[in-house]
């Protein structure tokens, strides 16, 4: 009898995809609503994003193993929605792959230069070589199998958790409740106006939806195991985010976020601001290691979803030749883009959030609605009935409103 893959492995793929380098932007983007407000927003986003992921699972189970968004959306929502959804998926996954190749390449370059340089001999491998190395090594795992991604992601998450615990232990130990609840605040004391603008960053922090068809295939259509791996994976991500908010917003006063916000939440600027309140020298190195693990695990999760989507879209089979073709279509465009524009991803990522809202919130809810009409007999149904479908659509619309309002400066932005 074939042994079922572990629940832990699937949860690690979900958690690894969700907890990317984007988490470093969370404390900055939620500085306006501060700790209690960010807690409410993170739990709200976690619930909606977990539910929308389960809605994809519900629809996916009515189609053959290996079927991804192209097959499912075309059949349930028609060609128009499939084109919109296909563009948004491809855009988000390719842009994220490009962003991770670029930032992972930069970290690979600095680690290798540091490792092989000596006082007499300075090694400089260059950004392009770092990106190439980072991409080739990790792409090999995706080419091999979902199981290889599961195993390697588990190792990366292990390293990430150790680095996270070591880097936040000192910060968590020195949390000041007056700072955390902003009871000694100086400056403005408005919170609510900044709630909507913080939503899109929270949404990007729980993106794992491209992995649902991969997990259906991985667990051989066992809905219960896929559902549990999604729930446990997103819950691990939520716990990590809450601890990180506690560590940062419990030490750095709200009014002191101005220089960090000015530099777009840059980790170096954040550590510099924190250094006034707590010694952060060793934390900087640990956070670099943490960011590297987070980028690598997210890269694997994102590209696994993109890989399965392309295989379904282009009808590439699961043979060595088929997987090689899928690998080339998955990794070559973002790699070439990264080599050509090594610093251009920040602008593109701003628009990725809007596309992610369509694909990770609105389309899953519409799929669940259409699926229930078309297939009255179901082996798995998401909780909450029609109310939950509209609840998730409202969440998506709020995110779109936030993105558009920020583009046109209709809403106030917290400056610190």
């Amino acid at each position: 009898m074939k042994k079922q893959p572990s629940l832990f492995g699937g949860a690690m793929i979900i958690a690894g995809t969700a907890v990317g380098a984007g988490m470093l932007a969370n404390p900055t983007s939620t500085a306006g609503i501060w700790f209690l407000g960010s807690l409410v927003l993170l739990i709200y986003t976690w619930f909606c994003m977990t539910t929308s992921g389960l809605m994809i699972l519900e629809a996916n189970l009515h189609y053959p193993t290996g079927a991804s968004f192209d097959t499912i959306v075309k059949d349930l929502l028609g060609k128009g929605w499939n084109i919109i959804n296909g563009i948004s998926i491809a855009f988000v996954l390719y842009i994220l792959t490009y962003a991770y190749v670029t930032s992972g390449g930069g970290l690979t370059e600095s680690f290798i230069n540091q490792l092989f340089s000596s006082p007499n001999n300075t090694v400089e491998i260059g950004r392009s070589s770092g990106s190439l190395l980072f991409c080739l090594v990790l792409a090999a795992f995706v080419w091999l199998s979902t199981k290889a991604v599961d195993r390697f992601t588990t190792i990366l998450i292990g390293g990430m958790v150790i680095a996270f615990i070591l880097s936040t232990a000192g910060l968590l130990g020195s949390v000041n409740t007056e700072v955390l609840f902003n009871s000694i605040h100086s400056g403005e004391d408005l919170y609510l106006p900044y709630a909507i603008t913080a939503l899109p960053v929270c949404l990007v922090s729980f993106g794992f939806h491209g992995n649902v068809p991969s997990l259906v295939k991985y667990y051989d259509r066992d809905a219960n195991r896929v559902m549990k791996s999604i729930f446990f994976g997103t819950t691990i991500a939520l716990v990590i985010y809450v601890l990180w908010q506690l560590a940062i917003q419990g030490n750095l006063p709200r009014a002191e976020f101005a220089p960090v916000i000015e530099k777009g939440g840059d980790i170096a600027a954040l550590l510099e601001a924190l250094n006034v309140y707590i010694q952060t020298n060793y934390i900087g190195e640990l956070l670099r290691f943490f960011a590297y693990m987070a980028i690598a695990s997210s890269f694997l999760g994102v590209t696994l979803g993109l890989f399965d989507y392309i295989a379904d879209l282009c009808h590439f089979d699961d043979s060595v030749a088929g997987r090689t073709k899928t690998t080339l279509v998955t990794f070559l465009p973002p790699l070439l883009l990264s080599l050509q524009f090594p610093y251009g991803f920040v602008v593109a990522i701003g628009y990725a959030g809007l596309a992610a809202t369509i694909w990770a919130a609105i389309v899953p809810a519409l799929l669940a609605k259409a699926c229930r009409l078309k297939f009255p007999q179901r082996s798995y149904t998401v909780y909450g009935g029609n109310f939950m479908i509209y609840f998730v659509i409202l969440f998506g619309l709020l995110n779109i409103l936030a993105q558009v309002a920020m583009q046109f400066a209709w809403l106030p932005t917290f400056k610190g």
Side-chain angles (χ1 to χ4, degrees):
M1 192 180 143
K2 193 184 166 192
K3 189 173 174 280
Q4 270 276 34
S6 75
L7 201 58
F8 183 70
M12 287 299 102
I13 288 175
I14 297 291
T17 307
V19 183
M23 77 164 281
L24 301 172
N26 272 350
T28 309
S29 64
T30 59
I33 51 167
W34 209 234
F35 181 69
L36 291 177
S38 68
L39 211 56
V40 172
L41 269 198
L42 283 168
I43 292 168
Y44 171 55
T45 305
W46 163 79
F47 178 76
C48 290
M49 291 291 272
T50 301
T51 305
S52 68
L54 295 175
M55 286 172 173
I56 295 170
L57 166 65
E58 183 182 329
N60 205 157
L61 289 167
H62 295 286
Y63 294 87
T65 303
S68 191
F69 292 91
D70 183 63
T71 301
I72 301 162
V73 178
K74 194 189 291 171
D75 187 56
L76 285 176
L77 302 179
K79 278 186 180 173
W81 269 110
N82 192 41
I83 290 165
I84 294 167
N85 192 61
I87 291 168
S88 71
I89 287 179
F91 183 72
V92 172
L93 296 183
Y94 271 123
I95 284 296
L96 287 177
T97 304
Y98 162 56
Y100 291 137
V101 169
T102 309
S103 44
L107 285 168
T108 303
E109 176 202 7
S110 69
F111 276 129
I112 288 177
N113 291 349
Q114 213 174 325
L115 193 64
F116 293 104
S117 290
S118 63
N120 309 321
N121 180 32
T122 306
V123 172
E124 285 286 343
I125 66 159
R127 184 68 169 251
S128 296
S129 303
S131 294
L132 202 59
L133 196 63
F134 177 83
C135 186
L136 288 176
V137 171
L138 295 181
F141 285 92
V142 179
W143 175 80
L144 273 169
S145 66
T146 303
K147 190 168 191 170
V149 172
D150 154 7
R151 294 282 159 84
F152 194 46
T153 303
T154 303
I155 294 165
L156 289 171
I157 296 259
M160 197 169 102
V161 167
I162 292 164
F164 181 76
I165 290 167
L166 292 174
S167 62
T168 54
L171 293 171
L172 288 170
S174 63
V175 165
N176 180 336
T177 51
E178 289 183 320
V179 172
L180 188 68
F181 299 115
N182 202 30
S183 54
I184 48 160
H185 64 267
S186 55
E188 66 158 288
D189 54 3
L190 290 170
Y191 299 94
L192 210 54
Y194 306 115
I196 289 185
T197 52
L199 257 182
V201 175
C202 294
L203 179 139
V204 173
S205 301
F206 287 99
F208 64 89
H209 298 65
N211 296 119
V212 178
S214 309
L215 288 180
V216 169
K217 187 173 162 185
Y218 187 46
Y219 286 117
D220 199 20
R221 308 178 68 79
D222 186 334
N224 194 39
R225 290 178 84 82
V226 180
M227 182 264 291
K228 284 179 178 172
S229 67
I230 289 171
F231 179 76
F232 291 139
T234 56
T235 304
I236 290 166
L238 177 66
V239 169
I240 289 174
Y241 292 142
V242 170
L243 289 174
W244 181 240
Q245 294 287 106
L246 189 64
I248 302 300
Q249 294 182 346
N251 286 288
L252 183 62
R254 184 175 183 246
E256 304 300 316
F257 260 87
V260 189
I261 291 166
E262 215 174 283
K263 290 185 180 169
D266 180 64
I267 190 70
L270 182 64
L271 290 171
E272 203 178 303
L274 268 173
N275 211 27
V276 178
Y277 300 92
I278 183 171
Q279 197 59 40
T280 61
N281 294 351
Y282 74 98
I283 293 171
E285 282 306 306
L286 285 165
L287 281 179
R288 269 181 66 207
F289 182 71
F290 168 79
Y292 196 45
M293 300 288 110
I295 287 164
S297 64
S298 280
F299 176 87
L300 284 170
V302 164
T303 54
L304 179 66
L306 181 59
F307 183 94
D308 284 337
Y309 175 70
I310 284 165
D312 179 46
L313 182 70
C314 303
H315 306 293
F316 292 146
D317 61 25
D318 213 23
S319 65
V320 172
R323 288 186 78 83
T324 304
K325 282 189 276 190
T326 312
T327 302
L328 289 172
V329 178
T330 303
F331 294 100
L332 212 51
L335 178 61
L336 293 173
L337 202 61
S338 177
L339 299 177
Q340 188 64 38
F341 305 104
Y343 301 101
F345 68 86
V346 176
V347 178
I349 272 194
Y351 296 102
L354 193 60
T357 306
I358 295 164
W359 155 56
I362 291 171
V363 166
L366 294 176
L367 285 177
K369 192 166 175 56
C371 162
R372 289 169 197 181
L373 290 171
K374 186 166 182 168
F375 305 105
Q377 299 298 314
R378 294 183 298 277
S379 59
Y380 172 78
T381 308
V382 180
Y383 46 79
N386 278 339
F387 169 78
M388 201 51 70
I389 287 171
Y390 297 119
F391 190 76
V392 171
I393 288 173
L394 177 65
F395 167 74
L397 293 174
L398 277 174
N399 270 280
I400 289 172
L401 174 70
Q403 298 269 0
V404 172
M406 283 192 288
Q407 290 294 327
F408 292 100
W410 293 339
L411 290 170
T413 50
F414 182 69
K415 300 274 196 306

